[in-house]
Amino acid sequence: MAAPRAVWKGFMKVGSVSCGVKIVAATSETSKIHFRILNRKDGLPVKSAYVDEETGETVEAEGQVKGLETGKNEFIQIEPDEIKALKLTSQHTLEIDEFVPVSEIDTRYLEKPYYLIPADKASAEAFNVLREAMKNKRVAARSCVVLFQRGREVIIQPFGKGMLLTELRNHNEMVSEATVFEGLKKQGYDPDLLEIASLLIDKKATKFDPSKFEDTYEDALIAMIDAKRKGKKLPKAAPTPRENVIDLADVLRKSLAKEGITAKSGKQKKRKSA
């Protein structure tokens, strides 16, 4: 299998030290099902087009330009060259001016991952030294890179033999938790229930293993398409879950019993296997 193509090539620079690096996509959509839009009458594909709102005529690519609406039917036209001139970040340099503790990274801001690798053998030594130093210090590098014609804030962390570069969401994109949690009040709880819940968590503790993740929607699509292709009856839809008022204590104790754990007189003990 051929190595994935780099989406960016340039230099990573820390002070007076620099090395050639490449950015490679860490995600792929090739395994996803992609639908085409068809004409229901003849079953043939249709294509989208930009149409002038007033004349109804199709506007070809060379006649299109970005516009910002400033009032009713009033727009400022923005040319591609004007946008390119705004780039404040070098298109070919990952300039690193600061490092942050990995433990302080707010995961809400992490958006899209990429792999960062040396561009060539000559760059490998400097790259590896920097990666190991970051690993030992448990820090990540902060930088900005131009990807797909746009400057993007990124965080860079040691990852295996290379590094992981992750796009960051901007602060103004985030909804403050204070606005969501504002109406929540601190509530008490039964210590016995807390202990039961803790035992249940311990029983089901495992390692983070993405290979076990399932895309149930994609699996259902595949099953449905396979049935249509073979002319078979379509799979039944999953039943809608019923909404019930539950007794938390009763549910937790039943869950413990199902996992082979018993609770006695407020003290929970693991049942010995026969």
Side-chain angles (χ1 to χ4, degrees):
M1 181 183 291
R5 191 178 67 176
V7 298
W8 185 92
K9 293 181 181 179
F11 294 90
M12 180 166 60
K13 189 170 183 289
V14 185
S16 59
V17 178
S18 66
C19 61
V21 292
K22 295 191 292 187
I23 296 175
V24 179
T27 60
S28 172
E29 295 289 325
T30 56
S31 63
K32 296 288 185 182
I33 291 176
H34 298 278
F35 291 109
R36 294 283 302 275
I37 302 300
L38 309 177
N39 184 332
R40 189 183 292 275
K41 291 182 179 180
D42 58 19
L44 296 177
V46 298
K47 61 181 181 180
S48 59
Y50 285 98
V51 177
D52 189 296
E53 291 184 357
E54 186 172 329
T55 65
E57 296 179 355
T58 300
V59 181
E60 301 299 333
E62 60 270 16
Q64 298 170 15
V65 63
K66 294 181 184 294
L68 177 67
E69 189 168 9
T70 57
K72 187 174 182 180
N73 295 325
E74 294 182 1
F75 300 87
I76 296 177
Q77 292 189 9
I78 309 295
E79 297 294 339
D81 289 341
E82 293 175 320
I83 293 178
K84 289 181 180 179
L86 291 176
K87 292 175 182 175
L88 303 178
T89 300
S90 170
Q91 295 189 53
H92 304 291
T93 305
L94 267 172
E95 189 84 38
I96 297 174
D97 291 322
E98 59 184 28
F99 294 90
V100 298
V102 171
S103 60
E104 292 183 8
I105 296 175
D106 188 334
T107 56
R108 293 176 300 171
Y109 287 85
L110 302 181
E111 188 166 23
K112 187 175 182 180
Y114 295 87
Y115 295 124
L116 187 67
I117 59 176
D120 47 48
K121 290 183 179 180
S123 301
E125 182 178 17
F127 179 92
N128 292 334
V129 167
L130 181 59
R131 185 196 64 229
E132 287 303 305
M134 290 168 60
K135 182 179 178 181
N136 292 339
K137 291 289 186 179
R138 298 182 181 179
V139 296
R142 275 274 297 102
S143 188
C144 184
V145 63
V146 176
L147 280 177
F148 309 112
Q149 304 299 316
R150 182 180 176 185
R152 301 167 194 270
E153 296 291 331
V154 297
I155 201 87
I156 303 168
Q157 304 176 69
F159 190 82
K161 296 179 180 179
M163 296 196 200
L164 189 68
L165 177 148
T166 309
E167 284 183 29
L168 299 175
R169 297 182 176 91
N170 290 325
H171 184 66
N172 57 11
E173 295 180 65
M174 299 302 302
V175 176
S176 171
E177 71 278 7
T179 61
V180 179
F181 299 164
E182 186 177 7
L184 298 179
K185 297 180 180 179
K186 187 174 181 180
Q187 301 210 355
Y189 52 84
D190 184 337
D192 285 348
L193 292 184
L194 179 61
E195 191 172 353
I196 292 174
S198 297
L199 282 170
L200 191 57
I201 291 172
D202 289 341
K203 179 69 177 181
K204 292 183 173 292
T206 185
K207 291 184 178 180
F208 183 74
D209 185 1
S211 67
K212 295 181 179 179
F213 295 175
E214 294 182 10
D215 188 336
T216 54
Y217 176 74
E218 192 80 4
D219 292 343
L221 272 179
I222 293 173
M224 181 264 286
I225 292 170
D226 188 55
K228 288 178 74 71
R229 183 184 289 123
K230 296 177 180 178
K232 295 182 178 181
K233 189 175 181 180
L234 299 184
K236 290 183 179 180
T240 303
R242 292 182 298 174
E243 294 185 4
N244 297 319
V245 177
I246 63 172
D247 180 338
L248 179 60
D250 185 53
V251 170
L252 286 173
R253 290 191 175 96
K254 285 181 179 178
S255 296
L256 281 183
K258 188 175 181 181
E259 295 297 330
I261 303 173
T262 58
K264 297 180 181 178
S265 303
K267 300 292 183 180
Q268 287 70 47
K269 297 180 179 178
K270 207 168 185 177
R271 183 192 305 162
K272 294 181 179 180
S273 56

